[in-house]
Amino acid sequence: MDDRAQQRQLPPLPTTVIPPQRYSGDAAYAEEVAKIFRRSWMFVGFADDLRNDNDFITAEIAGTSVLVQNFDGELRAFHNVCTHRYSLIHLRPCGNGKPVCPYHGWVFNKDGVPVGIPGNREQFGFSEEDRRRLALPRFEVAVRGRFVFVRLEAGGTSLDEQLGAYGLVLDHLSETFTDRIDDGILPWAANWKAGVESVLEVYHVDATHPETFKKFTKKVWDCSYEKEHSRGTTHLSDGSVRWWDGVNQKMGLPRSEMLRNYDHFFVFPNLAIGITHGSLMSVQTYDPVDPDHCNLHYRLFLGETSKPQTKGGAARKAVEDNLRGFNVQVLREDQVVSEAAHKGLKQVTRPAVPGWGEERIFAFHKAYLDRMAAE
């Protein structure tokens, strides 16, 4: 049977996609920041970094610097910008310390109020009411499993409602993958949507990843959908299965019984989670910087070994180095084509034409366009 006959047997493809003009330009970017990134529960980090009093994490949500701080066991989220002269308060991605502005030493409490102002009487004479007016803007914070989310604009659905059935997935992943082995950021010269699209399909694998991901999987791709989110599952190659079985046995790594292949989850708008052989978790966010740039923040996790004697050993280190190197190589290959696509998107007006190997892109585009149409 020739290709044309095979094509005629395929069901019709969706036709609605994001127009190229939405991938650049300040006006389009400002609108999606207002309608998507400020209204969505955004993944910002892991509760692992917030276990103790005064532990904190920081994140950028489409141009807004956010801090999440542990105040004696209670997590609260604030704008990470001092209300005095607008310095960032916490300068590190995570750490332990009270919210103290490094510029002039203003100290903020769990309500975001500046309770410590050096030389207040001589410099300002602020009353208690004045201090309350200078409180940091507060954001909503919620945790599912070990995944921490922040929402900039109050109101709307709860985190559990936004996640739907994927909330249970995050619970399971949080219990299984406890050992972080890598955490890094790659700046991409591409719109965040172009970055997201690079992980939602396998059609590009042969051309983009001929020596890496292509050898890692078979040509099987099953997709399913949950609210605005999606899942894609592909089978690992026989060689990959043998390698992982050997690693699991030698290192005593746990394996998820729910996720046995390469299972990839996407949580709208920009969180991607890949599970390999039930043994490795990759967590990625495509964080917008401006219309033409995003930061790819990646993290890798293994489960806790049942053979503690292997932890820190040469064999374990070699496995972790292998996984880190492979992951970064694949991401850099995606970076090249995403940046090339971004340049091309700025030169055309005709919408793209994804095929069935890219079907999750249609779901992503629909969720995006629905959000943009909302008032």
Side-chain angles (χ1 to χ4, degrees), residues 82-118:
C82 181
T83 49
H84 170 219
R85 291 268 303 282
Y86 310 122
S87 168
L88 297 184
I89 297 170
H90 285 312
L91 306 182
R92 293 176 292 161
C94 63
N96 182 274
K98 293 181 178 180
V100 181
C101 177
Y103 200 173
H104 299 94
W106 282 34
V107 183
F108 296 86
N109 68 9
K110 71 174 186 177
D111 296 315
V113 175
V115 293
I117 299 178

Side-chain angles (χ1 to χ4, degrees), residues 96-146:
N96 182 274
K98 293 181 178 180
V100 181
C101 177
Y103 200 173
H104 299 94
W106 282 34
V107 183
F108 296 86
N109 68 9
K110 71 174 186 177
D111 296 315
V113 175
V115 293
I117 299 178
N120 177 46
R121 180 180 299 177
E122 300 81 9
Q123 297 286 341
F124 308 101
F126 288 144
S127 66
E128 289 300 315
E129 183 178 352
D130 293 331
R131 291 173 189 254
R132 287 193 294 272
R133 284 198 294 267
L134 289 167
L136 302 173
R138 187 173 170 185
F139 306 131
E140 295 180 304
V141 60
V143 181
R144 188 67 194 248
R146 294 179 9 254

Side-chain angles (χ1 to χ4, degrees), residues 13 26 40 62 88 113 123 129 132 134 142 151 157 234 241 254 256 275 278 282 285 291 327 350 360 370:
L13 286 162
D26 292 338
S40 299
L88 297 184
V113 175
Q123 297 286 341
E129 183 178 352
R132 287 193 294 272
L134 289 167
R151 181 164 59 190
T157 61
T234 187
V241 169
S256 166
I275 311 301
S282 166
T285 54
N327 181 60
R350 190 176 68 182
R360 292 171 75 201
D370 286 349

